[in-house]
Amino acid sequence: SIVNVGSVGLFRYSRIFQRTGQQIPTKVACIRDRDLVPANTPDDMQGHLDCSGDMSAEEVAKHVAGLRTEDDGNVRTFVSDHWTLEYDLAAASWPLATLMHQAVRSAVASKTIWPTEERIAALDEQARQEVQQWKEDGRSLTDVAIDIYKPLRLNRASKPVAAQHAARVLLDTPIEDEDLPAYLVAAFDYLCMPEA
């Protein structure tokens, strides 16, 4: 099962699966944002978050370890590689950058009224062409991911609606393990691999 806990703390829910002594035999993977902005993040997107570029490797490691302090029993927390799930997906690979740009563009268009199938198809194609042009222009995935994530960060689109569109696009998008952020692969491995 995938459970969206919204902005409520993950551990209010994961504690249900934590016991002293014998554990409930259900693995729980908590997907958590790192909430440190990358070095190239514009001021209007940084908000109150610290910048990982201004921190030492030890400070970043300590921050990430602090996000896992509630792990116990079969509950494990998998912290995003860079910032948030949406940003990290866009920064992970060109196929995911395309998928996320299509999802976010459609979410922006869905803010006031749900677009027609024709409008969504046109938005998907425009987004695909734009990402292809960025790639041909030699832009880095991290810079592209900032542009893709910006409407979500600045509340110009809904993250849940973007997730709906991402799920729609994913149905027709071949994604390989190497396209995914490493922490998501680790979370799926934890959940799906049999005990050794």
Side-chain angles (χ1 to χ4, degrees):
S1 297
I2 297 174
V3 180
N4 177 4
V5 297
S7 59
V8 177
L10 291 169
F11 298 105
R12 289 187 184 196
Y13 297 95
S14 64
R15 273 193 210 110
I16 295 167
F17 295 92
Q18 294 175 328
R19 297 287 182 267
T20 303
Q22 187 171 353
Q23 297 294 313
I24 295 174
T26 301
K27 293 180 182 179
V28 177
C30 297
I31 304 299
R32 183 156 188 176
D33 291 342
R34 181 172 293 221
D35 285 334
L36 295 175
V37 299
N40 59 339
T41 305
D43 291 342
D44 64 336
M45 292 178 68
Q46 184 167 345
H48 69 280
L49 300 177
D50 291 329
C51 178
S52 58
D54 297 335
M55 302 168 72
S56 68
E58 293 79 21
E59 289 171 323
V60 171
K62 184 178 179 183
H63 173 81
V64 170
L67 299 175
R68 294 185 174 122
T69 57
E70 301 291 329
D71 286 7
D72 190 33
N74 290 327
V75 175
R76 297 283 179 272
T77 302
F78 297 85
V79 179
S80 63
D81 296 327
H82 303 288
W83 185 2
T84 69
L85 172 65
E86 298 83 7
Y87 171 86
D88 281 24
L89 286 170
S93 64
W94 288 107
L96 281 177
T98 303
L99 180 146
M100 288 305 297
H101 195 40
Q102 291 170 319
V104 172
R105 291 278 304 263
S106 292
V108 169
S110 303
K111 189 160 184 164
T112 54
I113 187 169
W114 200 263
T116 64
E117 284 185 38
E118 293 79 16
R119 175 74 176 131
I120 288 175
L123 288 167
D124 284 351
E125 181 57 22
Q126 290 168 1
R128 186 195 63 73
Q129 289 177 8
E130 193 166 23
V131 172
Q132 182 61 37
Q133 188 62 56
W134 290 337
K135 183 178 179 183
E136 289 172 9
D137 291 345
R139 291 191 66 198
S140 70
L141 271 171
T142 54
D143 285 344
V144 165
I146 289 282
D147 288 345
I148 292 170
Y149 180 56
K150 188 171 189 171
L152 298 178
R153 177 70 176 156
L154 300 181
N155 296 315
R156 295 180 188 147
S158 160
K159 282 188 174 188
V161 172
Q164 288 177 313
H165 284 292
R168 170 186 58 79
V169 176
L170 185 59
L171 291 173
D172 298 316
T173 304
I175 300 293
E176 304 294 331
D177 281 358
E178 57 269 10
D179 294 325
L180 295 168
Y183 77 104
L184 289 182
V185 174
F188 288 124
D189 285 349
Y190 171 68
L191 291 173
C192 299
M193 293 293 188
E195 295 293 326

